[in-house]
Amino acid sequence: MQISDLPYPDPGVPDARSGPRFLWWLGRGQLGGQARSLAWGLVHFCGVAGLPYTVGVGVEAVVDRDGSGLLLAGGLLLLFGAAISAGDAMLHRTAVTNWITAAARVQQLLARKTAELGSALTRRVAAGEVTTVSTGDVEKIGWFVEAVSRFLAAAFAVVAICVGLLFYAPAIGVVVAAGVPVLALSVLPLLPRATRRADLQREKAGRATELASDTVAGLRVLRGIGGEELFLGRYREASQEVREAAVRSARMWALISAIQVLLPGALLITVVWYGAVLVRDGRLAVGELVAAFSAVATMLYPLRHFEEIAQAYSFSRPSAARAARVLSLTRTEDGAENGAEGAAAGPAAAPAPGGDLYDPGTGLLAPGGRFTAVVCGDPDLAGRLAERLGGHPVDGAGAAAPVLLGGVALDELALDAARGLVLVQDKDPVLLSGTLRELFDVPASGSVTAAAALAAARCGDVLDALLQSAPEGVEDPMDARITERGRSLSGGQRQRLALARSLVTDPEVLVLDEPTSAVDSHTEARIAQGIAGLRAGRTTVVLASSPLLLDRADRVVLVHEGKAVAAGTHRELMRGEPRYRAVVTRETEEEQRSAASGASVPGVPAVPGAPAVPAEELTGIEESA
């Protein structure tokens, strides 16, 4: 795989059981690139290893006044120099290619997992951890993959130098061969402590990133309640903890680096002293001493890669563990256990159009082709229910049976099929930057035009505002640009554009969670009418508590304490279900007791069987709306 071939057609199925297993899987997937990098590394380091021998031949030729020997030394120097230059250039090229391709593979895997899990990802993994994995961790994993081939080539060069000295100058080669393993293994006792400190630093950095993300996301609210300085102070404390952990980690690595300089220096001094003794006694030639000295001095360069691979692994292991933890997540809680069986069985066939949507966990039934409204007293419960209806079970709900569409479990469908059948719009939908035309360039049935969806969502004033703020020459509001996350629009305008985008997709089942919470009552009534008209004959589920929306629904279901306890029309439930009336009218407990004792509650019959209050008073919908 070359950089020009990215992205991967298929990044593969990772081994996400642990960080080391994930690194091993990533390395196995790049054996070709690693082999090329190792080959060029051997060329480079063999050239480095041959320099001491060349120097020894040259010195011996000068001492013996041997012209042919000097010519041989010059030829070898030219050959080894070319090998060093070419090998170094190509080693760098292939190693960086390994790094980039490994990072790209991990990023593709993370992007695929994000698309698979959707909004459930940030509920099961902290947002700061996801950010850390997709940025810094990817780089550190790529660093380790890059360093492996250089380390193997360097290790081969060190072994070659030691073996060469044993044959070229056995007396001093024994000293070098005995000292090199000590140099290579001297830092091993310090690596566990260095790794722990690096892990602690990464953990604190992840917490600081998460705190920063939460602070930025809630900055407007924090300013409103005067808590901005409090959270900024917490971030300062977290930042100082990260700094202290980084300093402690750097001290340990500085100690390791110092040992890697001190011990080779001691070996070099030992070789010079012992070699000088051997030369004085006539047991070693001057050229052999110079060659031995050059070999030990040259060996310091490949030995640095021993420290690099140790440091790269120490930093990449926790990064790989975090990446594996994200990549091991599945659509369902038991997906990891039953993944092999599910893969063997294959995805289920898509249900026939018009089937009912049924949630066994709550008992909620949304008949096919009808507009169903769901009332929950708990907004968090409504959000979790919306995710379940979309086939995304949340933590704590994994034991419940999967949601059924037309009798087929959504969890058993292929991901693309499930997403195409059921679309969920949550409370805070995101608008991507770009033109309005690009915003509506989404997978859709083609039956609903953008103009019809915008009209149903009552976006006329939004189009006018976009056209007024557009640059000169833009005459079509569909060509007007939307800023990042729609910051230039009000909350109600963003909400209506997101609703129009959901309507234009025209899915088999559309689930809307509080789609009109940020608009005024008059606009809300018109939107309710637009949704009912545009989605006629299609299954629509709206989680809301506004009477303006509830009165437009064909069927209203009350979910109380996680169970569907009542169903009917809005008017029927207002008359006969006190729990429903309490949620919709925001009745207090005192008002409920007054109603039960016979006292009148505005807009609600005091006694069952009493004459119905006119619809205009119950719902607040005027005929003109």
Side-chain angles (χ1 to χ4, degrees), residues 299-379:
M299 198 183 299
L300 300 183
Y301 168 57
L303 279 175
R304 293 175 187 170
H305 293 81
F306 285 70
E307 177 189 352
E308 182 194 17
I309 194 65
Q311 189 171 6
Y313 181 74
S314 297
F315 278 84
S316 64
R317 188 180 59 81
S319 296
R322 278 191 293 266
R325 187 161 53 249
V326 174
L327 295 175
S328 64
L329 299 176
T330 57
R331 290 172 60 191
T332 58
E333 292 294 321
D334 57 349
E337 300 175 3
N338 303 330
E341 299 177 6
D356 297 341
L357 183 68
Y358 177 65
D359 176 25
T362 59
L364 170 65
L365 174 67
R370 301 185 66 187
F371 183 179
T372 302
V374 180
V375 175
C376 296
D378 183 1

Side-chain angles (χ1 to χ4, degrees), residues 122 125-132 202-218 231 235 238 242:
T122 52
V125 180
E129 184 169 352
V130 175
T131 303
T132 302
R202 294 291 175 266
E203 180 182 349
K204 290 183 178 296
R207 286 202 297 264
T209 302
E210 181 179 352
L211 181 59
S213 300
D214 293 342
T215 303
V216 172
F231 276 81
Y235 178 73
V242 174

Side-chain angles (χ1 to χ4, degrees), residues 257-515:
S257 298
I259 292 175
Q260 292 282 35
V261 173
L262 178 63
L263 294 184
L267 177 62
L268 189 62
I269 294 173
T270 302
V271 168
V272 173
W273 173 79
Y274 183 60
V277 172
L278 294 177
V279 170
R280 185 190 61 188
D281 295 341
R283 298 165 55 190
L284 186 69
V286 175
E288 292 176 338
L289 175 59
V290 173
F293 172 81
S294 301
V296 175
T298 304
M299 198 183 299
L300 300 183
Y301 168 57
L303 279 175
R304 293 175 187 170
H305 293 81
F306 285 70
E307 177 189 352
E308 182 194 17
I309 194 65
Q311 189 171 6
Y313 181 74
S314 297
F315 278 84
S316 64
R317 188 180 59 81
S319 296
R322 278 191 293 266
R325 187 161 53 249
V326 174
L327 295 175
S328 64
L329 299 176
T330 57
R331 290 172 60 191
T332 58
E333 292 294 321
D334 57 349
E337 300 175 3
N338 303 330
E341 299 177 6
D356 297 341
L357 183 68
Y358 177 65
D359 176 25
T362 59
L364 170 65
L365 174 67
R370 301 185 66 187
F371 183 179
T372 302
V374 180
V375 175
C376 296
D378 183 1
D380 293 335
L381 174 61
R384 294 194 297 270
L385 179 57
E387 291 296 328
R388 274 189 53 79
L389 294 177
H392 305 289
V394 298
D395 289 343
V403 174
L404 304 177
L405 177 60
V408 179
L410 289 178
D411 293 351
E412 297 177 0
L413 294 174
L415 182 60
D416 293 342
R419 295 281 171 84
L421 289 170
V422 183
L423 174 65
V424 178
Q425 177 180 306
D426 58 20
K427 292 184 179 69
D428 188 22
V430 176
L431 298 181
L432 302 179
S433 59
T435 65
L436 191 58
R437 194 181 310 279
E438 293 171 342
L439 180 69
F440 284 87
D441 186 16
V442 293
S445 68
S447 301
V448 179
T449 63
L454 289 166
R458 300 301 186 261
C459 295
D461 62 315
V462 184
L463 298 180
D464 294 338
L466 288 173
L467 195 56
Q468 290 176 2
S469 61
E472 186 178 351
V474 177
E475 299 180 355
D476 188 349
M478 297 298 292
D479 295 326
R481 294 195 65 82
I482 300 174
T483 57
E484 182 185 1
R485 301 184 68 90
R487 288 184 308 227
S488 59
L489 303 173
S490 67
Q493 290 174 329
R494 290 195 299 269
Q495 195 173 56
R496 281 178 284 162
L497 281 181
L499 175 60
R501 179 181 58 186
S502 298
L503 292 173
V504 82
T505 60
D506 190 36
E508 177 73 19
V509 179
L510 178 61
V511 180
L512 304 172
D513 187 6
E514 294 288 355

Side-chain angles (χ1 to χ4, degrees), residues 124-292:
R124 299 166 69 178
V125 180
E129 184 169 352
V130 175
T131 303
T132 302
V133 169
S134 59
T135 53
D137 286 341
V138 169
E139 180 180 352
K140 292 176 177 61
I141 292 172
W143 176 29
F144 175 73
V145 174
E146 173 199 9
V148 167
S149 56
R150 282 204 304 267
F151 163 71
L152 293 176
F156 180 85
V158 170
V159 173
I161 290 174
C162 292
V163 173
L165 280 178
L166 286 175
F167 284 96
Y168 182 72
I172 204 167
V174 173
V175 176
V176 175
V180 166
V182 176
L183 299 182
L185 303 177
S186 60
V187 298
L188 286 182
L190 300 177
L191 287 180
R193 182 178 300 180
T195 301
R196 287 194 298 271
R197 292 190 179 186
D199 291 349
L200 180 61
Q201 177 192 351
R202 294 291 175 266
E203 180 182 349
K204 290 183 178 296
R207 286 202 297 264
T209 302
E210 181 179 352
L211 181 59
S213 300
D214 293 342
T215 303
V216 172
L219 192 57
R220 181 179 298 178
V221 177
L222 293 176
R223 286 174 174 171
I225 63 176
E228 180 181 2
E229 286 300 324
L230 174 62
F231 276 81
L232 288 178
R234 291 180 180 176
Y235 178 73
R236 292 190 190 99
E237 293 177 1
S239 179
Q240 289 302 313
E241 290 180 1
V242 174
R243 182 190 62 80
E244 293 173 1
V247 170
R248 295 182 71 247
S249 179
R251 285 174 179 169
M252 182 57 64
W253 287 111
L255 176 60
I256 292 175
S257 298
I259 292 175
Q260 292 282 35
V261 173
L262 178 63
L263 294 184
L267 177 62
L268 189 62
I269 294 173
T270 302
V271 168
V272 173
W273 173 79
Y274 183 60
V277 172
L278 294 177
V279 170
R280 185 190 61 188
D281 295 341
R283 298 165 55 190
L284 186 69
V286 175
E288 292 176 338
L289 175 59
V290 173

Side-chain angles (χ1 to χ4, degrees), residues 33-111:
Q34 292 288 359
R36 286 190 294 271
S37 184
L38 177 60
W40 286 111
L42 290 176
V43 171
H44 171 67
F45 283 107
C46 284
V48 172
L51 286 179
Y53 174 73
T54 304
V55 172
V57 171
V59 171
E60 286 293 333
V62 171
V63 172
D64 298 339
R65 299 181 180 273
D66 183 3
S68 60
L70 192 60
L71 184 62
L72 175 62
L76 290 175
L77 187 62
L78 182 62
L79 175 63
F80 290 141
I84 292 172
S85 299
D88 189 30
M90 295 306 298
L91 172 61
H92 178 75
R93 179 189 177 108
T94 53
V96 170
T97 298
N98 290 335
W99 171 44
I100 293 177
T101 52
R105 187 190 293 270
V106 177
Q107 286 176 331
Q108 282 186 250
L109 290 170
L110 291 172

